[in-house]
Amino acid sequence: EPEVTQTPSHQVTQMGQEVILRCVPISNHLYFYWYRQILGQKVEFLVSFYNNEISEKSEIFDDQFSVERPDGSNFTLKIRSTKLEDSAMYFCASSETSGYNEQFFGPGTRLTVL
Amino acid sequence: SQKIEQNSEALNIQEGKTATLTCNYTNYSPAYLQWYRQDPGRGPVFLLLIRENEKEKRKERLKVTFDTTLKQSLFHITASQPADSATYLCALALYTGRRALTFGSGTRLQVQP
């Protein structure tokens, strides 16, 4: 069964460093998303991406964040200068264009900012 | 303000019983509502979607109801098993056409053998 994959599974970084989280969405899906979940809290929407551009973003997704689809399979989230409060699980998800938008989530990347 | 509330933080039931989880929302008129399962340290897994014009949806041992007047969805697991132990999340898009999901805080279900 097709699935969303994410790398790395765990990333440890120093405050102020840049990180890039990588995702490979399901191949025939055209909508891509990033969500995050701080330990013990809700899953929160960050950004959605369609047709090579951002279609929606939340207030969390400020200028420190960017997304890119560098090729036909990868979808990346970059955090330019990490802060302690960026420590969280980051989930990539994808969905088909049609239908009511059931989303398929990856296993997540645990980001720890020291 | 807009809210999605899942009434119980945790629910403990005996194997074989029916688990009923509640999701209430305010100030939204969602076109559909979704339920996901999340295991510790893992991503959410889609379970069921119910549209605003559907009262009830079933899939195997799962049943979802959606009452747009009460602004409430109920999620039932019948003949529960220890393997059903997980956190269950309700999620909805805030308005028609929006694809970003807003999640509730989840209910942690523990099924005792």
Side-chain angles (χ1 to χ4, degrees), chain A residues 31 33 35 37 42-43 45 56 89 91 96 100-103 105-106, chain B residues 4 32 34 36 38 41-44 46 49 51 98-101 103 105:
Chain A
Y31 276 90
Y33 312 84
Y35 292 82
Q37 186 174 32
K42 295 182 184 185
V43 176
F45 168 74
E56 299 173 70
M89 279 288 275
F91 295 110
E96 297 177 343
Y100 283 83
N101 192 32
E102 57 189 81
Q103 296 184 16
F105 284 75
Chain B
I4 304 172
Y32 57 89
Q34 304 185 27
Y36 288 78
Q38 187 176 29
R42 307 296 300 272
F46 172 78
L49 179 152
R51 297 175 177 80
R98 188 167 198 241
R99 301 188 77 85
L101 292 176
F103 283 84
S105 53

PDB file of all heavy atoms in Angstrom, chain A residues 31 33 35 37 42-43 45 56 89 91 96 100-103 105-106, chain B residues 4 32 34 36 38 41-44 46 49 51 98-101 103 105:
ATOM      1  N   TYR A  31      -1.937  17.358  -3.441  1.00  0.00           N
ATOM      2  CA  TYR A  31      -1.929  18.315  -2.334  1.00  0.00           C
ATOM      3  C   TYR A  31      -0.971  17.811  -1.275  1.00  0.00           C
ATOM      4  O   TYR A  31      -1.012  16.638  -0.918  1.00  0.00           O
ATOM      5  CB  TYR A  31      -3.322  18.453  -1.710  1.00  0.00           C
ATOM      6  CG  TYR A  31      -4.229  19.413  -2.416  1.00  0.00           C
ATOM      7  CD1 TYR A  31      -5.055  18.986  -3.442  1.00  0.00           C
ATOM      8  CD2 TYR A  31      -4.273  20.761  -2.048  1.00  0.00           C
ATOM      9  CE1 TYR A  31      -5.895  19.865  -4.094  1.00  0.00           C
ATOM     10  CE2 TYR A  31      -5.121  21.645  -2.695  1.00  0.00           C
ATOM     11  CZ  TYR A  31      -5.927  21.196  -3.711  1.00  0.00           C
ATOM     12  OH  TYR A  31      -6.757  22.066  -4.354  1.00  0.00           O
ATOM     13  N   TYR A  33       1.015  18.760   2.621  1.00  0.00           N
ATOM     14  CA  TYR A  33       0.813  19.525   3.850  1.00  0.00           C
ATOM     15  C   TYR A  33       1.964  19.276   4.820  1.00  0.00           C
ATOM     16  O   TYR A  33       2.571  18.208   4.822  1.00  0.00           O
ATOM     17  CB  TYR A  33      -0.477  19.076   4.566  1.00  0.00           C
ATOM     18  CG  TYR A  33      -1.687  18.974   3.684  1.00  0.00           C
ATOM     19  CD1 TYR A  33      -1.924  17.823   2.948  1.00  0.00           C
ATOM     20  CD2 TYR A  33      -2.602  20.026   3.605  1.00  0.00           C
ATOM     21  CE1 TYR A  33      -3.035  17.716   2.133  1.00  0.00           C
ATOM     22  CE2 TYR A  33      -3.719  19.914   2.791  1.00  0.00           C
ATOM     23  CZ  TYR A  33      -3.927  18.769   2.063  1.00  0.00           C
ATOM     24  OH  TYR A  33      -5.024  18.663   1.252  1.00  0.00           O
ATOM     25  N   TYR A  35       2.239  19.567   9.075  1.00  0.00           N
ATOM     26  CA  TYR A  35       1.633  19.798  10.377  1.00  0.00           C
ATOM     27  C   TYR A  35       2.725  19.608  11.424  1.00  0.00           C
ATOM     28  O   TYR A  35       3.743  18.963  11.164  1.00  0.00           O
ATOM     29  CB  TYR A  35       0.520  18.781  10.665  1.00  0.00           C
ATOM     30  CG  TYR A  35      -0.711  18.904   9.799  1.00  0.00           C
ATOM     31  CD1 TYR A  35      -0.756  18.353   8.521  1.00  0.00           C
ATOM     32  CD2 TYR A  35      -1.851  19.554  10.283  1.00  0.00           C
ATOM     33  CE1 TYR A  35      -1.893  18.459   7.734  1.00  0.00           C
ATOM     34  CE2 TYR A  35      -2.994  19.659   9.501  1.00  0.00           C
ATOM     35  CZ  TYR A  35      -3.005  19.106   8.239  1.00  0.00           C
ATOM     36  OH  TYR A  35      -4.133  19.204   7.466  1.00  0.00           O
ATOM     37  N   GLN A  37       3.291  18.802  15.860  1.00  0.00           N
ATOM     38  CA  GLN A  37       2.659  18.446  17.130  1.00  0.00           C
ATOM     39  C   GLN A  37       3.716  18.583  18.221  1.00  0.00           C
ATOM     40  O   GLN A  37       4.654  17.771  18.295  1.00  0.00           O
ATOM     41  CB  GLN A  37       2.092  17.026  17.099  1.00  0.00           C
ATOM     42  CG  GLN A  37       1.295  16.651  18.321  1.00  0.00           C
ATOM     43  CD  GLN A  37       0.626  15.287  18.167  1.00  0.00           C
ATOM     44  OE1 GLN A  37       1.146  14.391  17.499  1.00  0.00           O
ATOM     45  NE2 GLN A  37      -0.539  15.118  18.777  1.00  0.00           N
ATOM     46  N   LYS A  42      -1.988  19.438  20.559  1.00  0.00           N
ATOM     47  CA  LYS A  42      -2.751  19.082  19.364  1.00  0.00           C
ATOM     48  C   LYS A  42      -1.862  19.051  18.126  1.00  0.00           C
ATOM     49  O   LYS A  42      -0.820  19.719  18.070  1.00  0.00           O
ATOM     50  CB  LYS A  42      -3.822  20.139  19.098  1.00  0.00           C
ATOM     51  CG  LYS A  42      -4.890  20.258  20.121  1.00  0.00           C
ATOM     52  CD  LYS A  42      -5.905  21.323  19.688  1.00  0.00           C
ATOM     53  CE  LYS A  42      -6.956  21.545  20.748  1.00  0.00           C
ATOM     54  NZ  LYS A  42      -7.989  22.482  20.298  1.00  0.00           N
ATOM     55  N   VAL A  43      -2.320  18.333  17.125  1.00  0.00           N
ATOM     56  CA  VAL A  43      -1.728  18.434  15.799  1.00  0.00           C
ATOM     57  C   VAL A  43      -2.147  19.790  15.216  1.00  0.00           C
ATOM     58  O   VAL A  43      -3.338  20.127  15.206  1.00  0.00           O
ATOM     59  CB  VAL A  43      -2.235  17.292  14.895  1.00  0.00           C
ATOM     60  CG1 VAL A  43      -1.702  17.453  13.486  1.00  0.00           C
ATOM     61  CG2 VAL A  43      -1.833  15.939  15.476  1.00  0.00           C
ATOM     62  N   PHE A  45      -1.870  22.650  11.987  1.00  0.00           N
ATOM     63  CA  PHE A  45      -1.593  22.874  10.571  1.00  0.00           C
ATOM     64  C   PHE A  45      -0.532  23.957  10.410  1.00  0.00           C
ATOM     65  O   PHE A  45      -0.564  24.986  11.084  1.00  0.00           O
ATOM     66  CB  PHE A  45      -2.886  23.287   9.870  1.00  0.00           C
ATOM     67  CG  PHE A  45      -2.702  23.825   8.486  1.00  0.00           C
ATOM     68  CD1 PHE A  45      -2.391  22.982   7.436  1.00  0.00           C
ATOM     69  CD2 PHE A  45      -2.843  25.181   8.232  1.00  0.00           C
ATOM     70  CE1 PHE A  45      -2.224  23.475   6.154  1.00  0.00           C
ATOM     71  CE2 PHE A  45      -2.684  25.687   6.956  1.00  0.00           C
ATOM     72  CZ  PHE A  45      -2.378  24.830   5.913  1.00  0.00           C
ATOM     73  N   GLU A  56      -2.393  27.480   1.382  1.00  0.00           N
ATOM     74  CA  GLU A  56      -2.841  28.013   2.674  1.00  0.00           C
ATOM     75  C   GLU A  56      -1.657  27.955   3.633  1.00  0.00           C
ATOM     76  O   GLU A  56      -0.811  27.078   3.511  1.00  0.00           O
ATOM     77  CB  GLU A  56      -3.958  27.150   3.288  1.00  0.00           C
ATOM     78  CG  GLU A  56      -5.227  27.034   2.502  1.00  0.00           C
ATOM     79  CD  GLU A  56      -6.171  26.025   3.150  1.00  0.00           C
ATOM     80  OE1 GLU A  56      -6.707  26.331   4.239  1.00  0.00           O
ATOM     81  OE2 GLU A  56      -6.350  24.944   2.580  1.00  0.00           O
ATOM     82  N   MET A  89       7.149  17.225  16.831  1.00  0.00           N
ATOM     83  CA  MET A  89       7.048  16.246  15.732  1.00  0.00           C
ATOM     84  C   MET A  89       6.477  16.988  14.536  1.00  0.00           C
ATOM     85  O   MET A  89       5.474  17.699  14.661  1.00  0.00           O
ATOM     86  CB  MET A  89       6.111  15.107  16.100  1.00  0.00           C
ATOM     87  CG  MET A  89       6.725  14.041  16.956  1.00  0.00           C
ATOM     88  SD  MET A  89       7.894  13.017  16.055  1.00  0.00           S
ATOM     89  CE  MET A  89       6.775  11.813  15.317  1.00  0.00           C
ATOM     90  N   PHE A  91       4.862  16.472  10.848  1.00  0.00           N
ATOM     91  CA  PHE A  91       4.232  15.471   9.999  1.00  0.00           C
ATOM     92  C   PHE A  91       3.982  16.055   8.621  1.00  0.00           C
ATOM     93  O   PHE A  91       3.438  17.152   8.486  1.00  0.00           O
ATOM     94  CB  PHE A  91       2.890  15.024  10.575  1.00  0.00           C
ATOM     95  CG  PHE A  91       2.989  14.308  11.886  1.00  0.00           C
ATOM     96  CD1 PHE A  91       2.527  14.910  13.051  1.00  0.00           C
ATOM     97  CD2 PHE A  91       3.523  13.031  11.970  1.00  0.00           C
ATOM     98  CE1 PHE A  91       2.604  14.263  14.265  1.00  0.00           C
ATOM     99  CE2 PHE A  91       3.613  12.373  13.181  1.00  0.00           C
ATOM    100  CZ  PHE A  91       3.146  12.992  14.338  1.00  0.00           C
ATOM    101  N   GLU A  96      -5.406  13.470  -2.403  1.00  0.00           N
ATOM    102  CA  GLU A  96      -5.753  13.592  -3.812  1.00  0.00           C
ATOM    103  C   GLU A  96      -6.464  14.926  -4.046  1.00  0.00           C
ATOM    104  O   GLU A  96      -6.929  15.572  -3.126  1.00  0.00           O
ATOM    105  CB  GLU A  96      -6.690  12.444  -4.206  1.00  0.00           C
ATOM    106  CG  GLU A  96      -6.054  11.089  -4.070  1.00  0.00           C
ATOM    107  CD  GLU A  96      -7.024   9.965  -4.406  1.00  0.00           C
ATOM    108  OE1 GLU A  96      -8.244  10.207  -4.434  1.00  0.00           O
ATOM    109  OE2 GLU A  96      -6.549   8.847  -4.648  1.00  0.00           O
ATOM    110  N   TYR A 100     -13.231  14.525  -0.557  1.00  0.00           N
ATOM    111  CA  TYR A 100     -13.338  15.354   0.632  1.00  0.00           C
ATOM    112  C   TYR A 100     -12.069  15.369   1.455  1.00  0.00           C
ATOM    113  O   TYR A 100     -12.089  15.704   2.613  1.00  0.00           O
ATOM    114  CB  TYR A 100     -14.528  14.896   1.473  1.00  0.00           C
ATOM    115  CG  TYR A 100     -15.838  15.367   0.882  1.00  0.00           C
ATOM    116  CD1 TYR A 100     -16.446  14.670  -0.140  1.00  0.00           C
ATOM    117  CD2 TYR A 100     -16.442  16.534   1.337  1.00  0.00           C
ATOM    118  CE1 TYR A 100     -17.637  15.120  -0.680  1.00  0.00           C
ATOM    119  CE2 TYR A 100     -17.632  16.985   0.814  1.00  0.00           C
ATOM    120  CZ  TYR A 100     -18.230  16.262  -0.201  1.00  0.00           C
ATOM    121  OH  TYR A 100     -19.405  16.702  -0.735  1.00  0.00           O
ATOM    122  N   ASN A 101     -10.981  15.050   0.820  1.00  0.00           N
ATOM    123  CA  ASN A 101      -9.711  15.435   1.417  1.00  0.00           C
ATOM    124  C   ASN A 101      -9.282  14.601   2.609  1.00  0.00           C
ATOM    125  O   ASN A 101      -8.779  15.123   3.595  1.00  0.00           O
ATOM    126  CB  ASN A 101      -9.770  16.919   1.844  1.00  0.00           C
ATOM    127  CG  ASN A 101      -8.407  17.466   2.192  1.00  0.00           C
ATOM    128  OD1 ASN A 101      -7.420  17.071   1.632  1.00  0.00           O
ATOM    129  ND2 ASN A 101      -8.369  18.377   3.152  1.00  0.00           N
ATOM    130  N   GLU A 102      -9.478  13.266   2.558  1.00  0.00           N
ATOM    131  CA  GLU A 102      -8.821  12.453   3.567  1.00  0.00           C
ATOM    132  C   GLU A 102      -7.322  12.567   3.343  1.00  0.00           C
ATOM    133  O   GLU A 102      -6.854  12.529   2.196  1.00  0.00           O
ATOM    134  CB  GLU A 102      -9.272  11.002   3.475  1.00  0.00           C
ATOM    135  CG  GLU A 102      -9.051  10.364   2.131  1.00  0.00           C
ATOM    136  CD  GLU A 102      -9.708   9.005   2.022  1.00  0.00           C
ATOM    137  OE1 GLU A 102     -10.920   8.961   1.776  1.00  0.00           O
ATOM    138  OE2 GLU A 102      -8.997   8.024   2.202  1.00  0.00           O
ATOM    139  N   GLN A 103      -6.600  12.764   4.427  1.00  0.00           N
ATOM    140  CA  GLN A 103      -5.173  13.026   4.313  1.00  0.00           C
ATOM    141  C   GLN A 103      -4.380  11.842   4.853  1.00  0.00           C
ATOM    142  O   GLN A 103      -4.767  11.226   5.842  1.00  0.00           O
ATOM    143  CB  GLN A 103      -4.810  14.311   5.063  1.00  0.00           C
ATOM    144  CG  GLN A 103      -5.486  15.524   4.431  1.00  0.00           C
ATOM    145  CD  GLN A 103      -5.099  16.838   5.059  1.00  0.00           C
ATOM    146  OE1 GLN A 103      -4.119  16.941   5.786  1.00  0.00           O
ATOM    147  NE2 GLN A 103      -5.872  17.874   4.758  1.00  0.00           N
ATOM    148  N   PHE A 105      -0.881  10.657   6.365  1.00  0.00           N
ATOM    149  CA  PHE A 105       0.234  11.229   7.103  1.00  0.00           C
ATOM    150  C   PHE A 105       1.449  10.319   7.079  1.00  0.00           C
ATOM    151  O   PHE A 105       1.325   9.086   7.084  1.00  0.00           O
ATOM    152  CB  PHE A 105      -0.163  11.466   8.572  1.00  0.00           C
ATOM    153  CG  PHE A 105      -1.051  12.666   8.768  1.00  0.00           C
ATOM    154  CD1 PHE A 105      -2.382  12.629   8.411  1.00  0.00           C
ATOM    155  CD2 PHE A 105      -0.539  13.837   9.312  1.00  0.00           C
ATOM    156  CE1 PHE A 105      -3.202  13.743   8.588  1.00  0.00           C
ATOM    157  CE2 PHE A 105      -1.338  14.946   9.512  1.00  0.00           C
ATOM    158  CZ  PHE A 105      -2.680  14.893   9.137  1.00  0.00           C
ATOM    159  N   GLY A 106       2.623  10.946   7.094  1.00  0.00           N
ATOM    160  CA  GLY A 106       3.853  10.209   7.268  1.00  0.00           C
ATOM    161  C   GLY A 106       4.112   9.906   8.738  1.00  0.00           C
ATOM    162  O   GLY A 106       3.354  10.345   9.607  1.00  0.00           O
TER     163      GLY A 106
ATOM    164  N   ILE B   4     -12.792  23.184  18.782  1.00  0.00           N
ATOM    165  CA  ILE B   4     -13.145  21.784  18.615  1.00  0.00           C
ATOM    166  C   ILE B   4     -12.786  21.121  19.926  1.00  0.00           C
ATOM    167  O   ILE B   4     -11.641  21.201  20.372  1.00  0.00           O
ATOM    168  CB  ILE B   4     -12.344  21.111  17.489  1.00  0.00           C
ATOM    169  CG1 ILE B   4     -12.531  21.857  16.185  1.00  0.00           C
ATOM    170  CG2 ILE B   4     -12.746  19.657  17.333  1.00  0.00           C
ATOM    171  CD1 ILE B   4     -11.623  21.372  15.096  1.00  0.00           C
ATOM    172  N   TYR B  32     -17.703  18.585   6.204  1.00  0.00           N
ATOM    173  CA  TYR B  32     -17.444  17.204   6.567  1.00  0.00           C
ATOM    174  C   TYR B  32     -16.577  17.185   7.812  1.00  0.00           C
ATOM    175  O   TYR B  32     -15.976  18.185   8.188  1.00  0.00           O
ATOM    176  CB  TYR B  32     -16.770  16.444   5.422  1.00  0.00           C
ATOM    177  CG  TYR B  32     -15.468  17.052   4.953  1.00  0.00           C
ATOM    178  CD1 TYR B  32     -14.257  16.696   5.542  1.00  0.00           C
ATOM    179  CD2 TYR B  32     -15.450  17.985   3.926  1.00  0.00           C
ATOM    180  CE1 TYR B  32     -13.071  17.259   5.123  1.00  0.00           C
ATOM    181  CE2 TYR B  32     -14.268  18.565   3.506  1.00  0.00           C
ATOM    182  CZ  TYR B  32     -13.079  18.193   4.101  1.00  0.00           C
ATOM    183  OH  TYR B  32     -11.906  18.757   3.687  1.00  0.00           O
ATOM    184  N   GLN B  34     -13.780  14.452   9.990  1.00  0.00           N
ATOM    185  CA  GLN B  34     -12.982  13.243   9.862  1.00  0.00           C
ATOM    186  C   GLN B  34     -12.544  12.747  11.231  1.00  0.00           C
ATOM    187  O   GLN B  34     -12.400  13.527  12.176  1.00  0.00           O
ATOM    188  CB  GLN B  34     -11.728  13.534   9.020  1.00  0.00           C
ATOM    189  CG  GLN B  34     -12.017  14.106   7.646  1.00  0.00           C
ATOM    190  CD  GLN B  34     -10.763  14.269   6.816  1.00  0.00           C
ATOM    191  OE1 GLN B  34      -9.775  13.564   6.988  1.00  0.00           O
ATOM    192  NE2 GLN B  34     -10.792  15.210   5.891  1.00  0.00           N
ATOM    193  N   TYR B  36      -9.431  10.327  12.991  1.00  0.00           N
ATOM    194  CA  TYR B  36      -8.113   9.721  12.806  1.00  0.00           C
ATOM    195  C   TYR B  36      -7.733   8.972  14.074  1.00  0.00           C
ATOM    196  O   TYR B  36      -8.157   9.314  15.175  1.00  0.00           O
ATOM    197  CB  TYR B  36      -7.043  10.797  12.541  1.00  0.00           C
ATOM    198  CG  TYR B  36      -7.128  11.440  11.180  1.00  0.00           C
ATOM    199  CD1 TYR B  36      -8.071  12.417  10.913  1.00  0.00           C
ATOM    200  CD2 TYR B  36      -6.260  11.056  10.160  1.00  0.00           C
ATOM    201  CE1 TYR B  36      -8.153  13.006   9.645  1.00  0.00           C
ATOM    202  CE2 TYR B  36      -6.326  11.637   8.900  1.00  0.00           C
ATOM    203  CZ  TYR B  36      -7.278  12.606   8.656  1.00  0.00           C
ATOM    204  OH  TYR B  36      -7.350  13.186   7.410  1.00  0.00           O
ATOM    205  N   GLN B  38      -4.281   7.890  16.294  1.00  0.00           N
ATOM    206  CA  GLN B  38      -2.860   8.182  16.453  1.00  0.00           C
ATOM    207  C   GLN B  38      -2.280   7.311  17.560  1.00  0.00           C
ATOM    208  O   GLN B  38      -2.746   7.333  18.689  1.00  0.00           O
ATOM    209  CB  GLN B  38      -2.621   9.668  16.753  1.00  0.00           C
ATOM    210  CG  GLN B  38      -1.133  10.023  16.743  1.00  0.00           C
ATOM    211  CD  GLN B  38      -0.857  11.503  16.948  1.00  0.00           C
ATOM    212  OE1 GLN B  38      -1.610  12.210  17.595  1.00  0.00           O
ATOM    213  NE2 GLN B  38       0.247  11.981  16.378  1.00  0.00           N
ATOM    214  N   GLY B  41       3.934   8.461  19.213  1.00  0.00           N
ATOM    215  CA  GLY B  41       5.104   8.692  18.371  1.00  0.00           C
ATOM    216  C   GLY B  41       4.872   8.456  16.894  1.00  0.00           C
ATOM    217  O   GLY B  41       5.838   8.446  16.117  1.00  0.00           O
ATOM    218  N   ARG B  42       3.623   8.309  16.475  1.00  0.00           N
ATOM    219  CA  ARG B  42       3.314   8.029  15.069  1.00  0.00           C
ATOM    220  C   ARG B  42       2.410   9.115  14.492  1.00  0.00           C
ATOM    221  O   ARG B  42       1.830   9.925  15.217  1.00  0.00           O
ATOM    222  CB  ARG B  42       2.606   6.671  14.936  1.00  0.00           C
ATOM    223  CG  ARG B  42       3.309   5.505  15.585  1.00  0.00           C
ATOM    224  CD  ARG B  42       4.658   5.220  14.954  1.00  0.00           C
ATOM    225  NE  ARG B  42       4.571   4.899  13.554  1.00  0.00           N
ATOM    226  CZ  ARG B  42       4.377   3.670  13.074  1.00  0.00           C
ATOM    227  NH1 ARG B  42       4.243   2.655  13.902  1.00  0.00           N
ATOM    228  NH2 ARG B  42       4.335   3.464  11.772  1.00  0.00           N
ATOM    229  N   GLY B  43       2.289   9.112  13.169  1.00  0.00           N
ATOM    230  CA  GLY B  43       1.404  10.067  12.527  1.00  0.00           C
ATOM    231  C   GLY B  43      -0.048   9.614  12.589  1.00  0.00           C
ATOM    232  O   GLY B  43      -0.339   8.433  12.744  1.00  0.00           O
ATOM    233  N   PRO B  44      -0.983  10.564  12.478  1.00  0.00           N
ATOM    234  CA  PRO B  44      -2.411  10.195  12.445  1.00  0.00           C
ATOM    235  C   PRO B  44      -2.726   9.298  11.253  1.00  0.00           C
ATOM    236  O   PRO B  44      -2.145   9.455  10.175  1.00  0.00           O
ATOM    237  CB  PRO B  44      -3.117  11.554  12.309  1.00  0.00           C
ATOM    238  CG  PRO B  44      -2.139  12.561  12.824  1.00  0.00           C
ATOM    239  CD  PRO B  44      -0.801  12.021  12.448  1.00  0.00           C
ATOM    240  N   PHE B  46      -5.951   7.995   8.941  1.00  0.00           N
ATOM    241  CA  PHE B  46      -7.345   8.273   8.596  1.00  0.00           C
ATOM    242  C   PHE B  46      -8.220   7.049   8.843  1.00  0.00           C
ATOM    243  O   PHE B  46      -7.854   5.920   8.481  1.00  0.00           O
ATOM    244  CB  PHE B  46      -7.435   8.696   7.137  1.00  0.00           C
ATOM    245  CG  PHE B  46      -8.831   8.823   6.624  1.00  0.00           C
ATOM    246  CD1 PHE B  46      -9.583   9.950   6.931  1.00  0.00           C
ATOM    247  CD2 PHE B  46      -9.414   7.817   5.883  1.00  0.00           C
ATOM    248  CE1 PHE B  46     -10.883  10.068   6.477  1.00  0.00           C
ATOM    249  CE2 PHE B  46     -10.704   7.932   5.430  1.00  0.00           C
ATOM    250  CZ  PHE B  46     -11.446   9.059   5.723  1.00  0.00           C
ATOM    251  N   LEU B  49     -14.632   9.451   7.269  1.00  0.00           N
ATOM    252  CA  LEU B  49     -15.065  10.799   6.942  1.00  0.00           C
ATOM    253  C   LEU B  49     -16.581  10.779   6.825  1.00  0.00           C
ATOM    254  O   LEU B  49     -17.145   9.843   6.249  1.00  0.00           O
ATOM    255  CB  LEU B  49     -14.423  11.231   5.619  1.00  0.00           C
ATOM    256  CG  LEU B  49     -14.743  12.604   5.055  1.00  0.00           C
ATOM    257  CD1 LEU B  49     -13.565  13.087   4.204  1.00  0.00           C
ATOM    258  CD2 LEU B  49     -16.007  12.629   4.212  1.00  0.00           C
ATOM    259  N   ARG B  51     -19.925  13.344   5.782  1.00  0.00           N
ATOM    260  CA  ARG B  51     -20.306  14.617   5.175  1.00  0.00           C
ATOM    261  C   ARG B  51     -21.465  15.235   5.949  1.00  0.00           C
ATOM    262  O   ARG B  51     -22.202  14.551   6.653  1.00  0.00           O
ATOM    263  CB  ARG B  51     -20.706  14.391   3.716  1.00  0.00           C
ATOM    264  CG  ARG B  51     -19.576  13.867   2.852  1.00  0.00           C
ATOM    265  CD  ARG B  51     -20.042  13.529   1.441  1.00  0.00           C
ATOM    266  NE  ARG B  51     -18.960  13.084   0.594  1.00  0.00           N
ATOM    267  CZ  ARG B  51     -18.454  11.860   0.589  1.00  0.00           C
ATOM    268  NH1 ARG B  51     -18.923  10.958   1.403  1.00  0.00           N
ATOM    269  NH2 ARG B  51     -17.457  11.548  -0.228  1.00  0.00           N
ATOM    270  N   ARG B  98     -11.760  24.816   2.177  1.00  0.00           N
ATOM    271  CA  ARG B  98     -10.476  24.813   2.872  1.00  0.00           C
ATOM    272  C   ARG B  98      -9.995  23.383   3.011  1.00  0.00           C
ATOM    273  O   ARG B  98     -10.771  22.492   3.336  1.00  0.00           O
ATOM    274  CB  ARG B  98     -10.605  25.443   4.255  1.00  0.00           C
ATOM    275  CG  ARG B  98      -9.263  25.645   4.933  1.00  0.00           C
ATOM    276  CD  ARG B  98      -9.369  26.543   6.131  1.00  0.00           C
ATOM    277  NE  ARG B  98      -8.040  27.056   6.493  1.00  0.00           N
ATOM    278  CZ  ARG B  98      -7.452  26.838   7.662  1.00  0.00           C
ATOM    279  NH1 ARG B  98      -8.063  26.123   8.587  1.00  0.00           N
ATOM    280  NH2 ARG B  98      -6.264  27.320   7.921  1.00  0.00           N
ATOM    281  N   ARG B  99      -8.716  23.148   2.797  1.00  0.00           N
ATOM    282  CA  ARG B  99      -8.200  21.795   2.870  1.00  0.00           C
ATOM    283  C   ARG B  99      -7.407  21.558   4.147  1.00  0.00           C
ATOM    284  O   ARG B  99      -7.219  20.420   4.557  1.00  0.00           O
ATOM    285  CB  ARG B  99      -7.350  21.492   1.639  1.00  0.00           C
ATOM    286  CG  ARG B  99      -8.127  21.636   0.330  1.00  0.00           C
ATOM    287  CD  ARG B  99      -7.342  21.161  -0.856  1.00  0.00           C
ATOM    288  NE  ARG B  99      -7.320  19.707  -0.944  1.00  0.00           N
ATOM    289  CZ  ARG B  99      -8.275  18.974  -1.532  1.00  0.00           C
ATOM    290  NH1 ARG B  99      -9.333  19.546  -2.028  1.00  0.00           N
ATOM    291  NH2 ARG B  99      -8.155  17.665  -1.575  1.00  0.00           N
ATOM    292  N   ALA B 100      -6.930  22.606   4.776  1.00  0.00           N
ATOM    293  CA  ALA B 100      -6.196  22.447   6.030  1.00  0.00           C
ATOM    294  C   ALA B 100      -7.138  21.903   7.092  1.00  0.00           C
ATOM    295  O   ALA B 100      -8.275  22.364   7.219  1.00  0.00           O
ATOM    296  CB  ALA B 100      -5.645  23.795   6.480  1.00  0.00           C
ATOM    297  N   LEU B 101      -6.678  20.935   7.845  1.00  0.00           N
ATOM    298  CA  LEU B 101      -7.488  20.344   8.898  1.00  0.00           C
ATOM    299  C   LEU B 101      -7.158  20.980  10.244  1.00  0.00           C
ATOM    300  O   LEU B 101      -5.994  21.227  10.549  1.00  0.00           O
ATOM    301  CB  LEU B 101      -7.240  18.837   8.979  1.00  0.00           C
ATOM    302  CG  LEU B 101      -7.730  18.014   7.794  1.00  0.00           C
ATOM    303  CD1 LEU B 101      -7.331  16.563   7.980  1.00  0.00           C
ATOM    304  CD2 LEU B 101      -9.240  18.141   7.629  1.00  0.00           C
ATOM    305  N   PHE B 103      -7.520  20.060  14.162  1.00  0.00           N
ATOM    306  CA  PHE B 103      -7.691  18.854  14.966  1.00  0.00           C
ATOM    307  C   PHE B 103      -8.162  19.179  16.372  1.00  0.00           C
ATOM    308  O   PHE B 103      -7.804  20.211  16.950  1.00  0.00           O
ATOM    309  CB  PHE B 103      -6.369  18.092  15.076  1.00  0.00           C
ATOM    310  CG  PHE B 103      -6.010  17.304  13.849  1.00  0.00           C
ATOM    311  CD1 PHE B 103      -5.366  17.913  12.785  1.00  0.00           C
ATOM    312  CD2 PHE B 103      -6.324  15.962  13.759  1.00  0.00           C
ATOM    313  CE1 PHE B 103      -5.032  17.190  11.646  1.00  0.00           C
ATOM    314  CE2 PHE B 103      -5.993  15.230  12.627  1.00  0.00           C
ATOM    315  CZ  PHE B 103      -5.356  15.850  11.569  1.00  0.00           C
ATOM    316  N   SER B 105      -8.084  17.850  20.438  1.00  0.00           N
ATOM    317  CA  SER B 105      -6.947  17.432  21.256  1.00  0.00           C
ATOM    318  C   SER B 105      -6.879  15.918  21.430  1.00  0.00           C
ATOM    319  O   SER B 105      -5.864  15.391  21.889  1.00  0.00           O
ATOM    320  CB  SER B 105      -6.995  18.110  22.623  1.00  0.00           C
ATOM    321  OG  SER B 105      -8.251  17.878  23.211  1.00  0.00           O
TER     322      SER B 105
END
